[in-house]
Amino acid sequence: MTVAPPARQTPGTGHNVLGMRVLITGGAGFVGSHVADLMADRGHQVTLLDNLLDKAHGHADPPPWTREHDLVLGDVRDADLLTGLLRDTDVVCHQAAVVGHGLDPSDAPEYASHNDFGTAVLLAAMHRTGVQRLVLASSMVVYGEGRYECAEHGVVRPGKRTTVDLDAGRYEPPCPVCGAQLASRLVPEDAPMDPRSTYAATKAAQEHLASAWARQTDGNVWALRYHNIYGPRMPRDTPYAGVASLFRSALARGEAPTVLEDGDQRRDFVHSADVALANLLACESPGTAGELIPINVCSGTPHTVGDLARELANACGGPEPRIVGGARAADVRHVVADPAKARDLLGFQARVTFEKGVQAFATAPLREPVALQPGQTTQAG
């Protein structure tokens, strides 16, 4: 499924109408490759930087979707390589990262090395070469739990869900003041960060590093907080894949998708074509000098994880999902996004509906499986 970019803006609207030179880190990966295609279709000159780790790509050969672009094989932590690439760059679209929950805290050094040290090296190279525009791939995981409201105490931040409650099937976080049931609300960008996994902590750190860089250099940053992305080229058959990919892999084996908790966890599932569109609009918008502006990238139409499993099972003609209870240590209950800021500042509104997107995803090409060993992690855009 493809989404055409909006018509070019005229001068004075805040959008650049001229072709730009764009460096996309992680450009061979899931999101980065879709951004590259859309940017090139728009008339921009794109260069992809990717180290094609076998943990992420399964083999050393560049994936077929990179053939139409200028691909540089290299690591975002290579300062000399970055300096050379950035001399011919107008804007950086930084997608490279180690992604997913990880296995346990022993993954932390690799996550911090790729995500945070890599971002620091990139920002230093941008300062040396005078590049002042950055679009950063962030994530909704920086919020931890989403926004909740208590009838008596208003907006509150629930604490960590306990193993006792999860084992007993009590999945909804209670009010931390009175213990009453909470209502899930849309989470805005000014909600406090509360990362609850190593990956989430590195994403929050990336935002802090980029914000400090913007203040020091008068650069500008759009931090795009992706919600649950799905679509073509998604990695499959790895423990780090998104839930949509895990469900589809199960269905391809003739198995029922396995849904944790009671299936009523609310998320915002956004198609990769819409995520690419948000990146295009951010790259074309000058932002604000000296500031990092966080933006929710979402569909604006929440669904439950159970909804996704059932919709995908129907599209694949497979068995009904199995609801098995339990939860992973870093899982949160509800995270649904407020889309207003993306609309107001970037003119972004998702175009792919949940029903059409899931139907297309049922037969979309996915990235080849990766053989992982215990303790290994994946890197993807």
Side-chain angles (χ1 to χ4, degrees):
M1 176 176 293
T2 59
V3 173
R8 285 182 180 269
Q9 301 288 330
T10 55
T13 62
H15 286 71
N16 187 349
V17 298
L18 301 176
M20 296 181 297
R21 299 165 299 177
V22 184
L23 175 64
I24 304 175
T25 70
F30 173 36
V31 173
S33 65
H34 288 289
V35 175
D37 289 348
L38 193 58
M39 295 289 292
D41 289 345
R42 181 74 153 185
H44 300 301
Q45 177 184 328
V46 299
T47 299
L48 317 185
L49 174 64
D50 206 298
N51 59 3
L52 295 182
L53 286 179
D54 57 0
K55 302 170 190 175
H57 293 274
H59 47 74
D61 297 326
W65 50 76
T66 63
R67 291 171 185 162
E68 301 301 316
H69 305 297
D70 179 14
L71 172 64
V72 177
L73 300 181
D75 198 302
V76 73
R77 297 168 295 180
D78 185 335
D80 291 338
L81 174 62
L82 283 174
T83 299
L85 292 173
L86 288 169
R87 289 197 179 101
D88 295 315
T89 296
D90 298 310
V91 59
V92 175
C93 189
H94 184 32
Q95 306 292 325
V98 175
V99 301
H101 269 297
L103 297 175
D104 58 48
S106 65
D107 286 333
E110 186 163 9
Y111 274 82
S113 177
H114 284 280
N115 298 2
D116 299 335
F117 180 66
T119 297
V121 173
L122 172 64
L123 294 171
M126 291 176 68
H127 173 56
R128 285 194 302 273
T129 54
V131 179
Q132 291 193 289
R133 297 180 59 190
L134 174 67
V135 176
L136 172 67
S138 187
S139 172
M140 57 88 168
V141 296
V142 301
Y143 297 123
E145 286 283 357
R147 171 159 287 201
Y148 293 86
E149 186 174 3
C150 173
E152 181 177 353
H153 297 101
V155 174
V156 295
R157 297 288 293 174
K160 181 180 183 295
R161 298 188 294 173
T162 67
T163 301
V164 171
D165 282 343
L166 294 174
D167 289 346
R170 294 188 292 268
Y171 302 118
E172 297 291 341
C175 174
V177 181
C178 65
Q181 183 173 344
L182 300 174
S184 171
R185 304 300 188 204
L186 300 181
V187 60
E189 288 85 352
D190 62 0
M193 289 187 180
D194 186 19
R196 302 192 179 195
S197 69
T198 299
Y199 171 62
T202 64
K203 281 294 167 183
Q206 282 184 305
E207 287 200 25
H208 289 314
L209 287 166
S211 179
W213 168 85
R215 290 174 182 272
Q216 293 170 324
T217 66
D218 265 349
N220 66 80
V221 184
W222 294 102
L224 303 184
R225 293 175 177 170
Y226 302 155
H227 286 253
N228 290 73
I229 310 172
Y230 69 101
R233 305 174 187 170
M234 199 173 187
R236 65 181 179 93
D237 299 337
T238 96
Y240 304 89
V243 66
S245 177
L246 297 176
F247 288 165
R248 200 184 117 172
S249 292
L251 289 162
R253 297 190 300 268
E255 301 171 4
T258 299
V259 180
L260 298 180
E261 302 186 24
D262 56 4
D264 289 337
Q265 313 91 293
R266 297 174 72 228
R267 298 288 189 270
D268 190 306
F269 298 101
V270 58
H271 195 273
S272 53
D274 283 322
V275 176
L277 177 59
N279 275 275
L280 170 71
L281 294 172
C283 284
E284 291 185 344
S285 176
T288 302
E291 290 189 22
L292 177 146
I293 302 175
I295 295 288
N296 283 328
V297 176
C298 60
S299 73
T301 308
H303 289 85
T304 68
V305 174
D307 289 339
L308 175 66
R310 286 185 290 271
E311 192 81 18
L312 191 55
N314 289 336
C316 293
E320 283 290 305
R322 291 189 308 116
I323 311 296
V324 299
R328 296 179 296 181
D331 280 345
V332 296
R333 181 60 175 173
H334 304 299
V335 188
V336 291
D338 186 340
K341 194 172 180 180
R343 180 189 63 240
D344 294 344
L345 297 187
L346 290 179
F348 170 77
Q349 287 184 282
R351 302 179 180 187
V352 181
T353 66
F354 179 74
E355 294 75 17
K356 288 184 178 179
V358 173
Q359 185 71 39
F361 181 67
T363 56
L366 302 186
R367 195 183 310 172
E368 288 301 309
V370 178
L372 290 175
Q373 302 300 319
Q376 288 185 329
T377 56
T378 59
Q379 179 164 329

